[in-house]
Amino acid sequence: MYKLIVVILTYNLEKYIREAINSVLNQKTSYQYKILIGDDCSSDGTQEILKEYAEKYPGKIEIRISDKNLGCLGNSNRLFDGLQCEYFSLLDGDDVWLDENHLQKQIDFLESHKEYSMCAANTQYLKDNKPAEFLIDKELLDKTYTFDDLIKNQIPYFHPSTTMFRNTIFINGLPECYKNAVDTFENCALRGDDFRRIQHLETGPVYIMSDLLSYYRIHENGIWQGTSDLKRNLEGTIEYNFLRKYYKNTQYFDFFNGYFSYMYKQLMKYLVLDQDIVNKYELNTKNNYLLTSLLTDIVEQNIPLNTTYYVNLTDRDNEVPLELKQILRNKLKRISILRKIYRKIITIKENTKQRKQDKLNNTVIDWSNLKNYKRNLKIQYKKSFNKKLNLRNPKTFSEKMFWLRLYDNTEEKTILSDKILVRDWIKNKIGDDFLIPLYGTYEKFDDIDFSILPNSFVIKTNHGSGTNILVKDKSKLDIDIARKTVNEWLNTDYSLFAGELQYKKIKPKILIEKYLDTIDDDIPDYKYFCFNGKPVYILYCCNRYKKEELDNSFFDLNWNNMKFNYSGNVYDKDDVPVPENFDKMNEIAELLCKNFKHVRVDLYNIKGKIYFGEMTFTSYAGLFHFTPAEWDDKLGNMLKL
């Protein structure tokens, strides 16, 4: 893990990006640091410059170039997700650092003051490439500020280009609120720096040094500088609407609700009084979407506005002339009516949505009709995840599994899913030493001669999942019940359960294998999840016959418990011993998964003796609901289609 990562965001900044990167490379430090640059599909020469620097400084500079425009939040999310470092610093691609000891000064402070979450400093505006005013007044520097200072409006704005953060928020993955906001109107609330600073202030104070550490460049192509007053007010209102929801059940709610109330009514003043502003900037399609979404969300929340706080602010700042206050109050009555109308609209929408969901939930999927297979996949996905299936550009592991079910169903997968036919394939690949001893295969149950079987064995069918009868003592086996059960299995088409087509063409048969005896009758299962020909994680399953739900969790190939799963209880302890001959198990999994985009290779290990279990190409039919949920995205990133 790096001591520090410097994060740089770029979009069409070819005029400035060299100066920004050079100001980071010029830093003098006593430790190694990494520069991580995310480009949001620039259309000028920015990407070529980044590739030049990455080639010149391999291992020092990592670039992540998007092939489509993700927006500020989407671009930053992919850099901050699981950021593996102790500290991180930020620099926009059009800003520049001034002090070559910038990083060393701040990391020295944070290393000796473990209770602080951030260390910041002063910055200077750069207008027309000329230094202008300072961002923070001198009397506010060389001071410590806390979250309480934020609530009291007693903390100056400190620029991200001067700030070093102790990485407590992103090291374990991206918080859900960042991911959930990407494709919503609230993405503008999290794309900037305010929420990141607020989150860190909750974990510890910030110290603002008196040093001048950066230039903040003002130019017409800047994200904030090129925004109209109306748009700024609208996005600011959305930001504080998000914050008041985020802190709704905390002692800080009144503060954020008060600021939201103030900004909301300022926005209404723009819309109902300052018609010139509206005419000048116009509510274009995007702004109309933001405004409509904001008003709808306000109605859905039904949180009262803090009008007292608003009046105090406007009286203090004299932002609304006295003669307009009564007019504004009258206009706000109309807004109250609008809120009532929106409530009715939302009620209608919710009822319609619920009716559609009820209809969907009651839909029975007919997997026998292969002409409707793609449509059925979409219905199945929508029923399970309550969102549309993205087959054009699948991103999550679940989406990609559905893509594989539709477009990568081969004859070989059918053969390898057959528990009898797969044995020859395994024998050719790794030898028959790893196969569970086979006592016989049968077309019908009545073909079985139980008199020649050993005292213990396992009856299975070759074409399904969970079709096993464990026989520890054959004298206690009820033959009639076993016959009825196995015949039901033989007459079942398991492809019709969840639409897994590789099982459809398997001819149902019976196989009887050796009973793998253990001391406590618990056979741990090691399910290797393999991506593009490489095993990556192992789903370890235990307590199979002791509890209603399995205890299980994913481990990496070094046997570190990753503490996530998709079914049963997450086994979150670190007391699972490394299996005997673990390196050999990893080697076998890698040999068997070659040439497959995705496969699950199941192995058993009985006191160091390794046995092959099965090959599974559509685990859980792709209906993964991971705990924690972000692993659907993480595994999706690993699987290349």
Side-chain angles (χ1 to χ4, degrees):
M1 185 170 73
Y2 287 92
K3 191 76 171 177
L4 170 75
I5 293 179
V6 178
V7 176
I8 301 178
L9 302 175
T10 67
Y11 175 66
N12 285 350
L13 296 175
E14 65 173 332
K15 290 173 60 177
Y16 312 113
I17 188 61
R18 288 186 186 277
E19 188 177 5
I21 296 176
N22 288 336
S23 73
V24 180
L25 291 171
N26 289 337
Q27 292 296 302
K28 295 180 178 180
T29 64
S30 60
Y31 51 86
Q32 296 294 320
Y33 63 91
K34 175 183 176 180
I35 304 173
L36 178 60
I37 307 175
D39 181 78
D40 194 17
C41 196
S42 292
S43 56
D44 60 0
T46 301
Q47 292 185 9
E48 286 69 27
I49 295 172
L50 296 181
K51 291 174 182 177
E52 172 192 327
Y53 273 91
E55 185 176 346
K56 187 175 180 181
Y57 297 95
K60 180 84 168 181
I61 296 178
E62 177 187 345
I63 60 173
R64 297 181 186 176
I65 295 176
S66 175
D67 57 2
K68 65 177 182 178
N69 190 260
L70 302 172
C72 291
L73 181 60
N75 190 30
S76 63
N77 275 359
R78 64 198 182 102
L79 302 188
F80 282 112
D81 190 4
L83 197 66
Q84 294 300 301
C85 57
E86 193 172 346
Y87 305 99
F88 66 89
S89 292
L90 305 175
L91 185 66
D92 283 336
D94 52 357
D95 296 333
V96 60
W97 284 347
L98 302 176
D99 188 340
E100 63 184 11
N101 296 309
H102 174 148
L103 296 178
Q104 190 67 54
K105 289 178 181 178
Q106 293 191 319
I107 206 165
D108 286 346
F109 177 86
L110 290 174
E111 287 282 277
S112 58
H113 297 81
K114 298 294 186 182
E115 71 276 16
Y116 282 75
S117 67
M118 294 174 284
C119 181
N122 208 355
T123 191
Q124 190 172 14
Y125 290 101
L126 194 64
K127 298 179 179 178
D128 298 323
N129 286 323
K130 296 178 181 179
E133 66 270 22
F134 296 98
L135 182 63
I136 306 175
D137 294 336
K138 287 184 179 180
E139 62 269 17
L140 300 176
L141 300 170
D142 275 332
K143 291 185 177 180
T144 293
Y145 296 93
T146 66
F147 196 88
D148 286 340
D149 293 320
L150 171 73
I151 299 303
K152 296 174 184 176
N153 281 320
Q154 294 176 353
I155 183 171
Y157 173 79
F158 50 96
H159 198 259
S161 65
T162 71
T163 308
M164 182 177 289
F165 298 79
R166 192 182 302 279
N167 187 18
T168 56
I169 305 297
F170 302 107
I171 193 166
N172 293 320
L174 201 65
E176 287 297 309
C177 57
Y178 285 87
K179 292 188 287 188
N180 294 340
V182 170
D183 296 322
T184 74
F185 77 101
E186 288 185 324
N187 76 79
C188 60
L190 286 85
R191 74 182 186 197
D193 313 296
D194 290 343
F195 186 53
R196 193 182 301 120
R197 282 192 294 266
I198 291 170
Q199 280 187 302
H200 281 82
L201 277 173
E202 282 192 274
T203 67
V206 58
Y207 178 69
I208 303 181
M209 310 165 71
S210 60
D211 302 59
L212 177 63
L213 295 187
S214 74
Y215 280 145
Y216 172 33
R217 194 185 303 272
I218 306 298
H219 60 97
E220 62 181 5
N221 294 324
I223 294 175
W224 191 245
Q225 295 90 32
T227 304
S228 69
D229 291 341
L230 176 61
K231 180 70 173 297
R232 290 184 189 182
N233 188 284
L234 176 57
E235 293 190 353
T237 307
I238 291 172
E239 178 179 350
Y240 277 93
N241 181 53
F242 166 80
L243 288 170
R244 72 179 186 144
K245 291 189 296 181
Y246 188 83
Y247 289 99
K248 183 176 179 181
N249 297 317
T250 73
Q251 58 183 317
Y252 309 119
F253 168 74
D254 286 342
F255 168 75
F256 290 109
N257 190 39
Y259 248 97
F260 163 77
S261 302
Y262 167 65
M263 298 193 70
Y264 173 65
K265 292 183 179 178
Q266 284 294 90
L267 176 63
M268 292 303 106
K269 189 191 77 160
Y270 273 131
L271 298 177
V272 301
L273 295 178
D274 296 343
Q275 195 61 41
D276 289 342
I277 292 178
V278 177
N279 291 338
K280 181 178 179 181
Y281 296 114
E282 293 187 353
L283 284 174
N284 57 30
T285 302
K286 184 174 182 180
N287 289 349
N288 268 323
Y289 161 72
L290 293 177
L291 179 61
T292 303
S293 300
L294 172 64
L295 292 175
T296 303
D297 190 58
I298 291 170
V299 174
E300 286 178 332
Q301 294 176 67
N302 199 25
I303 301 175
L305 301 182
N306 190 333
T307 54
T308 303
Y309 194 90
Y310 160 71
V311 172
N312 289 341
L313 278 175
T314 52
D315 286 344
R316 183 190 68 193
D317 296 338
N318 198 29
E319 294 192 18
V320 179
L322 291 173
E323 61 270 19
L324 291 181
K325 284 191 177 180
Q326 186 57 47
I327 300 174
L328 181 57
R329 290 191 182 98
N330 292 336
K331 296 291 184 182
L332 288 175
K333 290 180 181 178
R334 297 184 182 180
I335 295 169
S336 176
I337 296 172
L338 178 64
R339 286 165 64 90
K340 292 179 181 178
I341 294 172
Y342 268 109
R343 285 193 185 98
K344 291 182 179 179
I345 293 173
I346 289 170
T347 300
I348 294 171
K349 285 184 177 180
E350 287 179 345
N351 291 339
T352 303
K353 183 178 179 181
Q354 187 59 50
R355 284 197 298 271
K356 288 182 178 179
Q357 188 63 44
D358 291 342
K359 182 180 179 181
L360 181 67
N361 292 337
N362 293 327
T363 300
V364 177
I365 301 175
D366 179 11
W367 292 109
S368 64
N369 187 350
L370 296 183
K371 291 182 179 180
N372 291 334
Y373 187 63
K374 184 175 182 179
R375 174 180 174 271
N376 288 339
L377 286 175
K378 292 179 178 180
I379 294 173
Q380 184 185 38
Y381 187 89
K382 183 71 184 294
K383 288 179 71 172
S384 182
F385 296 98
N386 197 27
K387 62 180 181 180
K388 290 184 178 180
L389 173 61
N390 183 357
L391 287 172
R392 286 190 175 183
N393 185 27
K395 294 181 179 179
T396 67
F397 185 43
S398 300
E399 287 177 333
K400 290 184 177 182
M401 287 293 289
F402 271 68
W403 188 95
L404 290 171
R405 288 173 61 187
L406 180 62
Y407 296 115
D408 196 45
N409 183 46
T410 65
E411 188 68 28
E412 184 180 30
K413 287 185 177 182
T414 294
I415 294 171
L416 299 185
S417 298
D418 185 321
K419 293 181 175 63
I420 295 175
L421 296 182
V422 71
R423 294 176 66 91
D424 287 336
W425 188 84
I426 293 296
K427 182 178 179 180
N428 292 331
K429 286 285 184 179
I430 59 175
D432 56 8
D433 287 345
F434 301 100
L435 290 169
I436 299 174
L438 180 68
Y439 297 142
T441 63
Y442 312 89
E443 299 277 345
K444 298 179 295 184
F445 184 86
D446 289 334
D447 292 339
I448 303 172
D449 184 355
F450 285 97
S451 66
I452 65 173
L453 292 176
N455 189 54
S456 60
F457 49 86
V458 179
I459 305 173
K460 299 180 179 181
T461 58
N462 66 328
H463 68 306
S465 176
T467 54
N468 310 309
I469 298 177
L470 307 182
V471 181
K472 297 181 186 179
D473 183 350
K474 71 176 180 180
S475 66
K476 298 179 181 179
L477 175 65
D478 189 320
I479 299 293
D480 291 334
I481 293 177
R483 178 186 294 106
K484 180 180 179 182
T485 301
V486 172
N487 285 338
E488 286 178 358
W489 291 342
L490 292 174
N491 291 316
T492 299
D493 182 351
Y494 286 95
S495 72
L496 301 181
F497 280 25
E500 298 171 280
L501 296 184
Q502 68 270 25
Y503 298 111
K504 191 170 188 64
K505 294 182 180 180
I506 298 177
K507 182 180 179 181
K509 291 183 179 182
I510 305 166
L511 65 156
I512 298 182
E513 293 180 336
K514 178 181 178 179
Y515 179 86
L516 300 179
D517 197 9
T518 59
I519 295 174
D520 56 0
D521 290 333
D522 180 37
I523 303 178
D525 211 347
Y526 303 89
K527 301 176 183 292
Y528 280 79
F529 277 65
C530 308
F531 300 88
N532 303 101
K534 294 288 184 181
V536 179
Y537 290 118
I538 307 156
L539 182 63
Y540 169 76
C541 306
C542 59
N543 297 327
R544 179 182 298 273
Y545 304 112
K546 297 179 180 178
K547 301 168 67 174
E548 289 186 7
E549 285 192 306
L550 282 171
D551 286 334
N552 59 79
S553 183
F554 279 91
F555 286 72
D556 65 15
L557 297 188
N558 294 314
W559 204 245
N560 297 306
N561 191 348
M562 306 305 292
K563 299 178 182 177
F564 77 94
N565 72 6
Y566 60 86
S567 175
N569 304 303
V570 176
Y571 191 86
D572 58 2
K573 298 178 182 178
D574 295 313
D575 59 356
V576 182
V578 180
E580 293 182 52
N581 297 325
F582 182 53
D583 289 341
K584 185 63 177 179
M585 292 174 67
N586 292 344
E587 178 187 329
I588 290 171
E590 184 163 359
L591 286 171
L592 298 182
C593 74
K594 282 183 179 179
N595 303 321
F596 296 111
K597 292 184 176 68
H598 170 70
V599 65
R600 197 190 79 207
V601 178
D602 293 4
L603 301 177
Y604 300 111
N605 189 320
I606 311 297
K607 297 179 182 179
K609 174 62 177 174
I610 303 169
Y611 291 105
F612 167 77
E614 63 180 310
M615 305 276 281
T616 303
F617 293 95
T618 55
S619 299
Y620 231 59
L623 300 169
F624 298 108
H625 291 270
F626 285 96
T627 304
E630 61 260 23
W631 279 96
D632 201 12
D633 291 312
K634 290 182 178 180
L635 295 184
N637 290 334
M638 296 177 185
L639 177 55
K640 309 302 179 185
L641 298 179

